[in-house]
Structure formats: structure tokens, C-alpha cells
Amino acid sequence: MNQAIDISWTASGGTDEALLPVRGRGAEQERITQWVRRLIHRRAGGVLWIEGPADVGKSRILACAADEAALAGARVLVGAGLAGGELAPLLDALTHDVDDFAHGLRIRSFQRNDPYWLVQEIRNRLRALTRDQPVALLLDDLQDCDELTLLTVRALTVQLADLPVVWVLAARAHGERPAVEALRRNLLTGRAAHLELLPLAEKAVREMAQDLLGSRAVEAAPYLRYLDGLPGAVRHLCAYLASEPPASVPGSLGTPGHEQTVVAPAVCRRLDQLSDDGRQLVQIAAVLGESLSARHLSRVLDRSEFALLRPLREVLAARLLSTDEDRLSFRHALVRQTVSATLPRPVRQSVRRRSVDLQLRAGVPAASVAAELGDVAEPGDTRAIEILRTAARELAPVSPCAAVGHLRRAVALAQGVPHERQRLVAELIPLLWQVGEVGQARDLAHEVLQASPDPVTHAEACLQLVRMGSQFRLPRPDMHLRFAHRRRDVPVPLKDQLLSMTLLDDLLTGDAEEAGGGMCDALMRTRGVRAVSELTLRTLHSMSACHRQNWGDALKHSDGAVAGVAHLDLVHGSTLPEVALSTSWHASVLSLAGHDRAALELVDDGIRAAEARGRRAFLPLWRTARARLLLDAGRLADAAGQLAAAEALLATIGLPSTGEASVLCTLVQVARHLGDEAAMEKCARRADAYLSGDDPYERRVGAWLTVVIAAHRAERLTPEHLTLAAACLRRGFVHAVCVDPGDVVVLVRVALHSGQRDIATATVEFAEHRARRNPGFALFQAAAAHARGLLDGDRDRLLTAAELYGDARPLLKAGTLKDTGELMPEAGEARTCFEQALELYDSCGAHQESGRLRNRLRKLGIRSAGAVSRAPEAAWRGLTPAQLGVVRLIAHGATNREAAQRLFLSPHTVNTHLRHAFDKLGVRSRVQLARLYLREVDQPGEES
């Protein structure tokens, strides 16, 4: 049988392949040319062994060797290891070229008698042929030859070594046939030459496609990377594309929908070139994924690792798989998908399920195999349902989104098991809420409550609803609470947590305004037998103490609540809404007590954790808390950014209105300072909506928003609005955010402007009562002094308030200085107050107040506000705004006492600021200080 080394074909737009160069084989072709010419010209013998993976171009190189041998004057004999009898490749070569056809028939007759004599006849015939001219014997695909042919070649290369017989033998690399390996080793221990063909480089592949397709080569470009540089695969792909109609747009065949269709024939061709074991190995590996271990592959195939060596080497040589440290992986995802598609879907599903079972048996965590198991499990598969549930529980603390996916699949598999499905749904509800799928969480919660499979699931569903907030208020909550507490099979910790969370939700939504009476009785019924129950109880006590204006107790209980977080389950504790709520509340109370940095660190940690874990439902709470802390610190632009993010989340996931109220109460203050009229108008619309409703809590919030808006617009309000706003302030908190101590000043200012002095007086008395009850809270003392000074027109009170506010609350301090300036009888003293207030407002970005103060300064005759406009930046040589104020007055000749009087500070404080300024500026005297300041910042004579 003759082998056709190459079949000429003409591609549409291309050229005859027989005329094409061997792309990317210049070095190899030159080596063969020199080797063949040298041996034939010397009439010497030799052996060249050519090897490489399938489709690498061995046959093309063999054809080049044949052409070169013929040109050099040798007789060329060609055979190949294809289907046939013993010695078929050698007999085909001799029969094709022997002149005496009868002699060829005589040779074949020996095949049925004695192989020994047949081998002798082949050897003798080769000897006879070399008498006339050198002989080049080319044998392709030795890996497919019979054993006798391989043994004969092995013997004849030795026996005919003294004759001018040039042997060119080609075989696939890693064929794993012992006889082929024995022949290769025997040849290479002598004087045989070895040529290994490697895949082509990218440039050669592109040039080859250009040669074959001409102008249509652009259509092949998207697919060439999947062929791994194998010339045979490139020719096969180009033949396929040439048989298709030209693409209307160059490269349009490379769209994802066509990729697998175009690449599939080339991939299937590569599969067909593998042995049965190699094909099975790569198909199973493709089903198992893009990367796997050899150990797992051997378990799925139920074969030892040693038994996989031969097919694995074959597949690696064919470049279908590659190794990366201790893993096997496919070089291209599309090739893996194409190989996987060669198996029927039931077979793929069965292999994947076996893979999952083996991994679970080997101790792989459920979370690692849950996704694959969910794809292959059938409805009603209880084991798969339980594994998916376990995986969801493992993933819930770190990736609630992934846990939602697993539980959803478990619910789908449990359609035929109603009670089991309801239990799964109860576990799915809080995860849906956390990731922001609020609507589905609400619908499923109502479904569980209507048909709970058991009291424990019913109680769990009630608890999850309460945890989600007011939008998910339990219908007839007393009935559900009584039902849960009557059942002995409901665990006591679950009963306690349900009751305490219900009470906490009532506090947040304004349904439980009275801290004593029923609230205290309810708290006494909870036992706090678990850490989470104790944490919730402490938060309840803290908020109840806040409502009673006992902020020392509020801080103490809040500290205890956050300390209790350490006793929770480290994995699942952070997933509980009550933990986030308690921590956010603690940050708010800490800020009120003057621990702003610690409060901001708590909130920042909460934001990072919520963002990293995908708990979108927690983010509005954290961002609102952070916005409030930034507002207190005078960072208005940053606070506005946090509020915008919180509002966007609230609009997207539809969280409870209590969360919206806390956002609005912070937003209205930020907008007032920034002069953001659009935000103020939005707050005004929401305030009107709140006031028009029947909910007492919302009406109070709406009234407070109206007060802040009236302060911004200098409007008058009715006593009803002012009274409702006063009730909102006395409550002490809005959702989980404490009221601003300075809010009483806003209410007093609006009440006085509205002619309601009695309300203003009552508000001042409330502020002073709050300050007396909480002597450790300097902000309450400052706010009380500020409110009293504003009511009585008492400059000394206002000076005291400015001193108490310090640098922690720049906006409140600036407001105090502005109010003080209003009461100053002399223009110089008023100007000093206004300039200090303006400096603080400018540093905070409070454009509204800055503009108003500049107008006041112009009315005082300071048209350009020289000293103010030329005041040093806050970053000048690292001085703080307070230090800059002292330096400015000292540089213009004021004494320490005069500076203290004009800045409304004590002489001791001025001396401290001056000493720190000396250290930062590197000066030792007041004269040096004045020279440096006047040279870099101001000029003499601008101080009036």
C-alpha cells in the first residue's frame, strides 16, 4: 500500500499547496538537505529519526527528504505504517519501485509461508538495488507499524550499514509503544541522527494561513491560536474555511457564536489521532474542568496513576493538555468545551457527579464542590440538598452572594419536599436581604409565615423579619410572639432574641417611646442566655438610657454591647444585623462623648467588611453613620458623598423608612451648610410627606426637617411644628444615629425668629437639664451654654460655649463665634468674631455661611475683607486654625492677654498655642514670629 505524503488541493483564493514553502521549517529543511546530500554523494548509509506530535508536519518534512534524495540521484522508496499485514510498509515500498512486478508478487508469496525468508528476501532486494544507485527508504508513522516491521527495520539498519541505504524514519513523540521505543533507543545509540519537530511560531502560522487562503486569511486569524502551532491542524482549518462562503465582514466568523463551530473539526481531528486511552483521558478531563490534578483524574477513571502514564504523555505531546506545577490544565477554554461536547450530556453529568462524590469522600469542603453539584443534581436529591445547604452556611459569612446561589438551587431541588423547602427558604431570607434582594426576601418571608413546617422555623422566620427592619413589620406581632413563647420546642435563646429584637425594632421605629413601664417589663422577661441576646439587650438598655437623657449609662451599655461582639461566633457573628446596628450605635455615642477617632475607625471597619462581603443592606447604615461623623468634623464634601451613596443604596434595595429618616436628618444639615438648594428642596418635599401622614414618629422627623430648612431660609414656623421638632430632639436619636447636641441651638434660633419665646425657653431648659445630668459630655455643656447665650443675648455664655466646643466641632464653634459677633457693640470686636467664624467655615467648605459672613463684613466697611482674604491657609507651615488665629494677632502687636480677649480664649490657651507655633515655625521670639508671618502671609497696616 502506498502512502500519499501530501495531497494537492486548491483553496479558494489560495494557491496549490504542492508549490508552497514549508513555513517555519527552514532550519530543519536545511539540516535534512545537507544530511541527505552528504550521504548520497558519498554513497554511504545512515539513519535519520524524525519525531513530533501529530500534525506537526512530519510527513511534509519526509516529502522534502524524498525530493532531495531524488534530486541527488537516489532511488526513493516510500512506505507508511497503515493498516495491512506483517511487513506491509516495507513490502509496499519495494513493490512500488521494483521494476520486475512478478518479482514483487514472489516477495509477497513468502508472506504466507515463512516471515524469516521474507525478511531475507527484503534484505537481498535492498542489496541488489544499491548496486545501481543509492537507495533512500522513507517510512512514516512508525508508531502504527506491526511488530515484525519494527524488528526488521531495527535489524536491517545494522545489517545494511555498509551499503548506501539512507533510512528516514518518522514517528509520533511519546507513542508509548515498547517496540517503537526500543527501535528509537537502538538507533540513537549508534550513528543515527535525530530531528525533533516542534510546533510553529505564531508568525509562521499566520504566513501559512496567508499562503493557503490568500485574501481570506483574515477569516482564519481568530482561530489560529487554538491550533497550538500544528501545521496539519492549520491546513485542516483553512480547508474548512475555504469550503465556506466568504464572510460578509472580514473576521465576522470570529464572533463567539461561530468560534466553536469553526474550531470543532480541527479539535475532533486531533482527538481522532489519539489512541483510545488517550482520547478517553482527554474527554474525561474536559468534563471535569479547565484544571485538575492527576490524582483526581485517576480516581474518576478508576485507574492507577501508573496506568495513566502512557495516555497522559500522549495527550501532553499532542498539546491538548499542559502541566502547571502539580495540575493538569487545558491550554484553551474553547478547546476544552469542544472536547467535552463530544460526549453525550448524560455521560457528562454522570462523570461530573462521580467527580463531586469522590471529592467529598476525600474531604473536600462542601463549599468547593457545591456549584458543580448544583449543576448535576436531580430534583429530590436529598444528599445534594444537604450539601448545598452546608456550603451556603460555610459561605454566608464571607460571600453571601455565593451562599444565596447555593440555597436557591437547594430550594429548586426540594420542590417535591414542601417542609424541607420551607426550612431552606427560611435560611435563604436573611441572605437575600443582606445582598440587597429585598423584594424577594419579603415575599418569601410572608410565604413561610403562612405555611411554616414547624414552630422553630416559624420563630426563625419571625426573627429574620424583625431583623430586617420596619419595612418587614410582622403582621400581628403579638400573636407571633405569644405563639413562639408558648411552644416548648422553640429554644429559649431563640425566644429571647425574637423578643429583644422586636423591642429594639419598636425603639428604632418610634413605637416604644416610653422607656419605663411595658418596656422594662418586657426586658425583664428576656434572659440573655446567649452572647447575641446579651448584646441586643445591652443595645436596648443603651438606647433606652439615651431616651431618658442619661448618656453616661447609654455609653456604658453601648461599650458592653460592643465588647460582647468578641464572645460571638467569629464566623457567623458579623453576619447578624443586630451586630452592625449595635456597633454603629456605639460609634454614634462615642462621637458624642468626644471619641471621634475611635468612632470613625469603627464605622470604617464596618464599611470595609460590608463591601468586601457583599452585604449591601448594611451599607446605608454604615455610610449614614460615617456621613454624620464627617459632618461633625466639618468635612462637608466628604459627608455629602457618603450620603449620596447611602441614598442610592436605599433607592436600589428599598430599605426601611427609618433608615431614610436618619439619612435625611444628616442630609438637611449638610445641604444647609453647603447651600445645596436642590438637596434642601428634596428634604422639604420629604418633610411635607412625613407631616401629612399619621405616623407620630414620621411627623416628628418631618417637623425637625422643617425647622432646619426654616433656619436656612429664615422662615417662621407655627408652634405645632416647633413642638413636634422639640419632641424629636428630646427622643435623643433618629434610627441608630444620636441627635446632634447643637440641634437645640437651631431650634432656639428658629423659635426666637418665629416669636415663640416660650418654646425657645423650654428648649434651653431641656438643654441645661441634659447638661446637668451628663457632666462628662462637654458637647452638652457647650450646647447648653450656646442656647442660653442665644436666648439671653449673653456674650459670656457664648464665649464659654466657643471654648467648650474646641476644635472637635468646627461648625458648632463657628456658629457660636458668629452669634457672638452679632452681640458685639464695637465693629472691631464683631469683625474679629466674624473673621474667626469665616475661617472655620471656609476650612469646612460651608459656602452658605461663608457668603453670609462676607456680606456682614462688607457692612462693617471691610470691602475686600483684607485680613480675612489674606489669612494663611490651614496648611501654612503646619499650623492649626487655632494656632494661626493666635499667630496673626501676635504678629500685629497684640499681647497674650489682648489676643485671649479678642479670641475669647483663656490666656493659658493662647500661651499654649503660641508655644506650639514657635516649635513648628522654628522661631524663638515674638519678633521673629512677626517678621516671618508678615513676610510670607500679611503686610503691616492691613490690621484695623
Side-chain angles (χ1 to χ4, degrees), residues 10 18 110 114 190 206 210 273 300 330 341 390 399 551 557 577 653 724 738:
T10 301
F110 282 100
D114 191 342
R206 291 194 300 269
Q210 182 68 38
Q273 292 169 336
V300 175
F330 279 83
T390 302
S399 179
W551 290 90
H557 289 300
I653 61 182
L724 284 173
C738 299

PDB file of all heavy atoms in Angstrom, residues 10 18 110 114 190 206 210 273 300 330 341 390 399 551 557 577 653 724 738:
ATOM      1  N   THR A  10      -6.558  22.921  -3.992  1.00  0.00           N
ATOM      2  CA  THR A  10      -6.524  24.361  -4.252  1.00  0.00           C
ATOM      3  C   THR A  10      -7.598  25.043  -3.437  1.00  0.00           C
ATOM      4  O   THR A  10      -8.775  24.717  -3.568  1.00  0.00           O
ATOM      5  CB  THR A  10      -6.750  24.659  -5.737  1.00  0.00           C
ATOM      6  OG1 THR A  10      -5.739  23.997  -6.468  1.00  0.00           O
ATOM      7  CG2 THR A  10      -6.686  26.152  -6.007  1.00  0.00           C
ATOM      8  N   ALA A  18       1.115  22.127  -3.155  1.00  0.00           N
ATOM      9  CA  ALA A  18       2.350  21.447  -3.521  1.00  0.00           C
ATOM     10  C   ALA A  18       3.470  22.432  -3.825  1.00  0.00           C
ATOM     11  O   ALA A  18       4.645  22.103  -3.741  1.00  0.00           O
ATOM     12  CB  ALA A  18       2.109  20.537  -4.731  1.00  0.00           C
ATOM     13  N   PHE A 110       5.987 -15.055  -0.088  1.00  0.00           N
ATOM     14  CA  PHE A 110       6.692 -15.520   1.104  1.00  0.00           C
ATOM     15  C   PHE A 110       5.962 -15.142   2.391  1.00  0.00           C
ATOM     16  O   PHE A 110       6.167 -15.743   3.427  1.00  0.00           O
ATOM     17  CB  PHE A 110       8.104 -14.943   1.150  1.00  0.00           C
ATOM     18  CG  PHE A 110       9.059 -15.633   0.234  1.00  0.00           C
ATOM     19  CD1 PHE A 110       9.387 -15.089  -0.990  1.00  0.00           C
ATOM     20  CD2 PHE A 110       9.644 -16.850   0.598  1.00  0.00           C
ATOM     21  CE1 PHE A 110      10.279 -15.713  -1.836  1.00  0.00           C
ATOM     22  CE2 PHE A 110      10.539 -17.477  -0.255  1.00  0.00           C
ATOM     23  CZ  PHE A 110      10.865 -16.928  -1.477  1.00  0.00           C
ATOM     24  N   ASP A 114       6.910 -18.203   5.371  1.00  0.00           N
ATOM     25  CA  ASP A 114       7.862 -18.066   6.467  1.00  0.00           C
ATOM     26  C   ASP A 114       8.356 -16.623   6.534  1.00  0.00           C
ATOM     27  O   ASP A 114       9.023 -16.171   5.603  1.00  0.00           O
ATOM     28  CB  ASP A 114       9.033 -19.007   6.236  1.00  0.00           C
ATOM     29  CG  ASP A 114       9.920 -19.105   7.465  1.00  0.00           C
ATOM     30  OD1 ASP A 114       9.823 -18.206   8.326  1.00  0.00           O
ATOM     31  OD2 ASP A 114      10.698 -20.052   7.546  1.00  0.00           O
ATOM     32  N   GLY A 190      23.615   4.404  18.167  1.00  0.00           N
ATOM     33  CA  GLY A 190      24.640   4.302  17.138  1.00  0.00           C
ATOM     34  C   GLY A 190      24.921   5.647  16.507  1.00  0.00           C
ATOM     35  O   GLY A 190      24.979   6.676  17.177  1.00  0.00           O
ATOM     36  N   ARG A 206       0.655  32.329  10.841  1.00  0.00           N
ATOM     37  CA  ARG A 206      -0.055  33.358  10.078  1.00  0.00           C
ATOM     38  C   ARG A 206       0.357  33.342   8.602  1.00  0.00           C
ATOM     39  O   ARG A 206      -0.483  33.491   7.709  1.00  0.00           O
ATOM     40  CB  ARG A 206       0.208  34.733  10.687  1.00  0.00           C
ATOM     41  CG  ARG A 206      -0.431  34.942  12.056  1.00  0.00           C
ATOM     42  CD  ARG A 206      -0.433  36.411  12.438  1.00  0.00           C
ATOM     43  NE  ARG A 206       0.906  36.961  12.492  1.00  0.00           N
ATOM     44  CZ  ARG A 206       1.663  36.997  13.591  1.00  0.00           C
ATOM     45  NH1 ARG A 206       1.195  36.489  14.715  1.00  0.00           N
ATOM     46  NH2 ARG A 206       2.879  37.521  13.561  1.00  0.00           N
ATOM     47  N   GLN A 210      -1.924  32.599   5.297  1.00  0.00           N
ATOM     48  CA  GLN A 210      -1.915  33.520   4.164  1.00  0.00           C
ATOM     49  C   GLN A 210      -1.633  32.775   2.864  1.00  0.00           C
ATOM     50  O   GLN A 210      -2.256  33.033   1.826  1.00  0.00           O
ATOM     51  CB  GLN A 210      -0.869  34.613   4.398  1.00  0.00           C
ATOM     52  CG  GLN A 210      -0.801  35.662   3.312  1.00  0.00           C
ATOM     53  CD  GLN A 210      -2.041  36.534   3.264  1.00  0.00           C
ATOM     54  OE1 GLN A 210      -2.601  36.876   4.297  1.00  0.00           O
ATOM     55  NE2 GLN A 210      -2.479  36.862   2.058  1.00  0.00           N
ATOM     56  N   GLN A 273      -6.654  11.377  16.258  1.00  0.00           N
ATOM     57  CA  GLN A 273      -5.266  10.948  16.114  1.00  0.00           C
ATOM     58  C   GLN A 273      -4.709  10.337  17.392  1.00  0.00           C
ATOM     59  O   GLN A 273      -3.588   9.827  17.386  1.00  0.00           O
ATOM     60  CB  GLN A 273      -4.406  12.147  15.699  1.00  0.00           C
ATOM     61  CG  GLN A 273      -4.715  12.648  14.299  1.00  0.00           C
ATOM     62  CD  GLN A 273      -4.057  13.975  13.997  1.00  0.00           C
ATOM     63  OE1 GLN A 273      -3.744  14.738  14.914  1.00  0.00           O
ATOM     64  NE2 GLN A 273      -3.862  14.263  12.722  1.00  0.00           N
ATOM     65  N   VAL A 300     -11.375   9.305  39.055  1.00  0.00           N
ATOM     66  CA  VAL A 300     -12.573   9.323  38.226  1.00  0.00           C
ATOM     67  C   VAL A 300     -12.528   8.219  37.176  1.00  0.00           C
ATOM     68  O   VAL A 300     -13.534   7.545  36.899  1.00  0.00           O
ATOM     69  CB  VAL A 300     -12.724  10.706  37.557  1.00  0.00           C
ATOM     70  CG1 VAL A 300     -13.898  10.702  36.583  1.00  0.00           C
ATOM     71  CG2 VAL A 300     -12.934  11.786  38.603  1.00  0.00           C
ATOM     72  N   PHE A 330      -6.135  22.634  30.476  1.00  0.00           N
ATOM     73  CA  PHE A 330      -6.285  22.817  29.045  1.00  0.00           C
ATOM     74  C   PHE A 330      -5.662  24.147  28.647  1.00  0.00           C
ATOM     75  O   PHE A 330      -5.770  25.144  29.362  1.00  0.00           O
ATOM     76  CB  PHE A 330      -7.756  22.771  28.648  1.00  0.00           C
ATOM     77  CG  PHE A 330      -8.304  21.379  28.525  1.00  0.00           C
ATOM     78  CD1 PHE A 330      -8.739  20.690  29.641  1.00  0.00           C
ATOM     79  CD2 PHE A 330      -8.364  20.754  27.293  1.00  0.00           C
ATOM     80  CE1 PHE A 330      -9.227  19.409  29.539  1.00  0.00           C
ATOM     81  CE2 PHE A 330      -8.858  19.472  27.173  1.00  0.00           C
ATOM     82  CZ  PHE A 330      -9.291  18.785  28.299  1.00  0.00           C
ATOM     83  N   ALA A 341     -17.931  18.544  24.518  1.00  0.00           N
ATOM     84  CA  ALA A 341     -19.160  18.392  23.742  1.00  0.00           C
ATOM     85  C   ALA A 341     -19.186  17.122  22.915  1.00  0.00           C
ATOM     86  O   ALA A 341     -20.247  16.734  22.404  1.00  0.00           O
ATOM     87  CB  ALA A 341     -19.350  19.605  22.840  1.00  0.00           C
ATOM     88  N   THR A 390     -25.146  23.015  53.459  1.00  0.00           N
ATOM     89  CA  THR A 390     -23.903  23.123  54.218  1.00  0.00           C
ATOM     90  C   THR A 390     -22.961  24.138  53.580  1.00  0.00           C
ATOM     91  O   THR A 390     -22.338  24.951  54.268  1.00  0.00           O
ATOM     92  CB  THR A 390     -23.216  21.751  54.298  1.00  0.00           C
ATOM     93  OG1 THR A 390     -24.107  20.810  54.907  1.00  0.00           O
ATOM     94  CG2 THR A 390     -21.932  21.831  55.107  1.00  0.00           C
ATOM     95  N   SER A 399     -19.159  35.250  51.807  1.00  0.00           N
ATOM     96  CA  SER A 399     -19.694  35.537  50.476  1.00  0.00           C
ATOM     97  C   SER A 399     -21.187  35.225  50.438  1.00  0.00           C
ATOM     98  O   SER A 399     -21.596  34.169  49.932  1.00  0.00           O
ATOM     99  CB  SER A 399     -18.952  34.725  49.410  1.00  0.00           C
ATOM    100  OG  SER A 399     -19.480  34.994  48.126  1.00  0.00           O
ATOM    101  N   TRP A 551     -26.888  59.837  79.321  1.00  0.00           N
ATOM    102  CA  TRP A 551     -25.931  59.436  78.317  1.00  0.00           C
ATOM    103  C   TRP A 551     -24.743  58.685  78.896  1.00  0.00           C
ATOM    104  O   TRP A 551     -24.070  57.943  78.173  1.00  0.00           O
ATOM    105  CB  TRP A 551     -25.468  60.659  77.532  1.00  0.00           C
ATOM    106  CG  TRP A 551     -26.560  61.190  76.668  1.00  0.00           C
ATOM    107  CD1 TRP A 551     -27.488  62.123  76.990  1.00  0.00           C
ATOM    108  CD2 TRP A 551     -26.869  60.754  75.339  1.00  0.00           C
ATOM    109  NE1 TRP A 551     -28.354  62.324  75.950  1.00  0.00           N
ATOM    110  CE2 TRP A 551     -27.996  61.499  74.910  1.00  0.00           C
ATOM    111  CE3 TRP A 551     -26.309  59.834  74.466  1.00  0.00           C
ATOM    112  CZ2 TRP A 551     -28.558  61.339  73.658  1.00  0.00           C
ATOM    113  CZ3 TRP A 551     -26.858  59.675  73.209  1.00  0.00           C
ATOM    114  CH2 TRP A 551     -27.977  60.417  72.819  1.00  0.00           C
ATOM    115  N   HIS A 557     -23.611  50.992  78.578  1.00  0.00           N
ATOM    116  CA  HIS A 557     -24.265  49.824  77.978  1.00  0.00           C
ATOM    117  C   HIS A 557     -23.791  49.598  76.538  1.00  0.00           C
ATOM    118  O   HIS A 557     -23.664  48.452  76.081  1.00  0.00           O
ATOM    119  CB  HIS A 557     -25.780  50.004  78.006  1.00  0.00           C
ATOM    120  CG  HIS A 557     -26.374  49.890  79.371  1.00  0.00           C
ATOM    121  ND1 HIS A 557     -26.259  48.756  80.136  1.00  0.00           N
ATOM    122  CD2 HIS A 557     -27.099  50.780  80.114  1.00  0.00           C
ATOM    123  CE1 HIS A 557     -26.891  48.929  81.288  1.00  0.00           C
ATOM    124  NE2 HIS A 557     -27.403  50.155  81.306  1.00  0.00           N
ATOM    125  N   PRO A 577     -27.565  41.337  61.666  1.00  0.00           N
ATOM    126  CA  PRO A 577     -27.884  42.770  61.599  1.00  0.00           C
ATOM    127  C   PRO A 577     -27.755  43.465  62.946  1.00  0.00           C
ATOM    128  O   PRO A 577     -27.374  44.632  63.015  1.00  0.00           O
ATOM    129  CB  PRO A 577     -29.329  42.788  61.089  1.00  0.00           C
ATOM    130  CG  PRO A 577     -29.492  41.495  60.368  1.00  0.00           C
ATOM    131  CD  PRO A 577     -28.647  40.506  61.113  1.00  0.00           C
ATOM    132  N   ILE A 653     -32.321  49.175  46.864  1.00  0.00           N
ATOM    133  CA  ILE A 653     -32.754  47.964  47.558  1.00  0.00           C
ATOM    134  C   ILE A 653     -33.975  48.203  48.442  1.00  0.00           C
ATOM    135  O   ILE A 653     -34.494  47.255  49.035  1.00  0.00           O
ATOM    136  CB  ILE A 653     -31.601  47.376  48.401  1.00  0.00           C
ATOM    137  CG1 ILE A 653     -31.128  48.357  49.477  1.00  0.00           C
ATOM    138  CG2 ILE A 653     -30.438  47.026  47.521  1.00  0.00           C
ATOM    139  CD1 ILE A 653     -29.971  47.849  50.301  1.00  0.00           C
ATOM    140  N   LEU A 724     -43.418  69.694  67.773  1.00  0.00           N
ATOM    141  CA  LEU A 724     -43.075  68.370  67.242  1.00  0.00           C
ATOM    142  C   LEU A 724     -41.557  68.218  67.087  1.00  0.00           C
ATOM    143  O   LEU A 724     -40.989  67.151  67.391  1.00  0.00           O
ATOM    144  CB  LEU A 724     -43.753  68.149  65.888  1.00  0.00           C
ATOM    145  CG  LEU A 724     -45.248  67.837  65.904  1.00  0.00           C
ATOM    146  CD1 LEU A 724     -45.801  67.819  64.483  1.00  0.00           C
ATOM    147  CD2 LEU A 724     -45.502  66.491  66.582  1.00  0.00           C
ATOM    148  N   CYS A 738     -27.395  59.287  66.981  1.00  0.00           N
ATOM    149  CA  CYS A 738     -27.726  60.206  68.079  1.00  0.00           C
ATOM    150  C   CYS A 738     -28.007  61.601  67.521  1.00  0.00           C
ATOM    151  O   CYS A 738     -27.485  61.987  66.473  1.00  0.00           O
ATOM    152  CB  CYS A 738     -26.564  60.290  69.067  1.00  0.00           C
ATOM    153  SG  CYS A 738     -26.134  58.732  69.849  1.00  0.00           S
TER     154      CYS A 738
END
